[in-house]
């Protein structure tokens, strides 16, 4: 990793014109004292997201890097491409709709700073939206999904759907890639015996635009993925230790 980048802020975004500029200004304010970069993945947007990003970069935002998909590939693929391009040791993920508050990132960084490479060091800090600013139906669907996931995967994470997370890049790159993997990062990190902790974060109403997910679509796909991740965990042998034999 580049010595001058400590944290990479990764933002998958599809049709988030009107949300990106104020969100990125908040990132710049929150991380003014950090060595950071911001990578926004324009996931096949058909609105003004791309021009909004280019305008912000040309106006003087040297930390901003823009990746683009010619067509929408989804949040997990966007996140994965951003991780591959990232230069930071730590990755802070944010949703592009502005509902996550970048002001929470410094507190999360304080929890992990100096733990790199130490036995038992933290690999992931998962945000917990203690005051959800979503519709009642969305909150109900989320509670149901989180409860089912928690009982099956035992990942001790009350709000894995929160887009605000802090992850060690090296730990992320050891994980298996699949679509929708972003919903299961705590369980996947724990599968590799990485330490995860939960941190309360703010949540805000969407500024503009509409959600990209319907409750029914999210639930049906999530159940299939849930059993896939459960199978992965059951099939792991990562608790075994390999020893080197000297000649």
């Amino acid at each position: 990793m580049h010595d001058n980048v400590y944290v990479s802020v990764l933002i998958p975004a599809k049709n988030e014109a009107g949300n990106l500029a104020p969100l990125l200004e908040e990132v710049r304010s929150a991380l003014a004292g950090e060595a950071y970069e911001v990578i926004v993945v324009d996931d096949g947007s058909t609105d003004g997201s791309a021009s909004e990003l280019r305008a912000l970069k040309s106006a003087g935002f040297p930390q901003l890097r823009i990746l683009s998909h010619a067509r929408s590939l989804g949040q997990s693929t966007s996140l994965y491409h951003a991780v591959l391009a990232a230069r930071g040791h730590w990755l802070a993920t944010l949703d592009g709709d502005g509902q996550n508050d970048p002001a929470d990132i410094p507190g999360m960084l304080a929890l992990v700073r100096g733990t790199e490479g130490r036995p038992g060091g933290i690999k992931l800090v998962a945000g917990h939206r203690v005051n959800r600013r979503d519709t009642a139906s969305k909150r109900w669907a989320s509670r149901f999904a989180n409860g089912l996931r928690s009982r099956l995967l035992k990942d001790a994470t009350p709000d894995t759907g929160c887009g605000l997370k802090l992850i060690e890049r090296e730990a992320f790159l050891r994980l298996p890639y699949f679509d929708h993997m972003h919903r299961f990062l705590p369980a996947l990190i724990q599968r590799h015996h990485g330490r995860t902790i939960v941190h309360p974060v703010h949540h805000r109403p969407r500024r503009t635009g509409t959600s990209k997910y319907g409750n029914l679509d999210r639930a049906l796909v999530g159940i299939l993925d849930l059993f896939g991740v459960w199978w992965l965990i059951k099939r792991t042998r990562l608790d075994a230790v390999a020893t080197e034999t000297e000649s």
Side-chain angles (χ1 to χ4, degrees), residues 7-8 10 75 79 90-95 100 105 108 124-129 157 159-167 181-186 201:
V7 57
S8 298
L10 313 181
Q75 189 169 344
L79 182 61
W90 289 99
L91 312 170
T93 65
L94 289 170
D95 288 338
N100 302 137
I105 298 176
M108 300 171 89
L124 179 146
V125 182
H128 177 200
R129 297 165 292 184
T157 306
D159 186 17
T160 191
C162 179
L164 179 52
K165 294 181 177 68
L166 185 69
I167 314 163
M181 69 174 290
H182 67 279
R183 303 183 192 280
F184 300 96
L185 289 174
V201 297

Side-chain angles (χ1 to χ4, degrees), residues 212-233:
K212 309 303 183 293
Y213 302 100
N215 291 337
L216 181 59
D217 294 341
R218 188 196 301 260
L220 292 176
V221 173
I223 289 173
L224 178 63
D225 292 333
L226 174 61
F227 282 99
V229 173
W230 174 82
W231 181 87
L232 276 175
I233 292 172

Side-chain angles (χ1 to χ4, degrees), residues 19-76:
N19 289 322
L20 292 171
L23 176 62
L24 292 175
E25 288 298 339
E26 288 180 327
V27 171
R28 177 149 54 182
S29 176
L31 297 181
E34 292 287 351
Y36 75 98
E37 65 177 357
V38 184
I39 301 177
V40 179
V41 183
D42 178 14
D43 188 34
S45 294
T46 56
D47 63 354
S49 295
S51 58
E52 187 172 324
L53 290 169
R54 289 193 299 267
L56 192 62
K57 186 171 179 65
S58 64
F61 200 145
Q63 299 91 346
L64 174 61
R65 301 168 62 196
I66 305 168
L67 303 182
S68 299
H69 293 159
R71 61 183 178 87
S72 179
L73 299 177
Q75 189 169 344
S76 284

Side-chain angles (χ1 to χ4, degrees), residues 21 31 37 78 80 86 99 103 121 129-130 137 142 224:
L31 297 181
E37 65 177 357
S78 298
Y80 187 76
Q99 290 192 264
R129 297 165 292 184
V130 292
S137 62
S142 181
L224 178 63

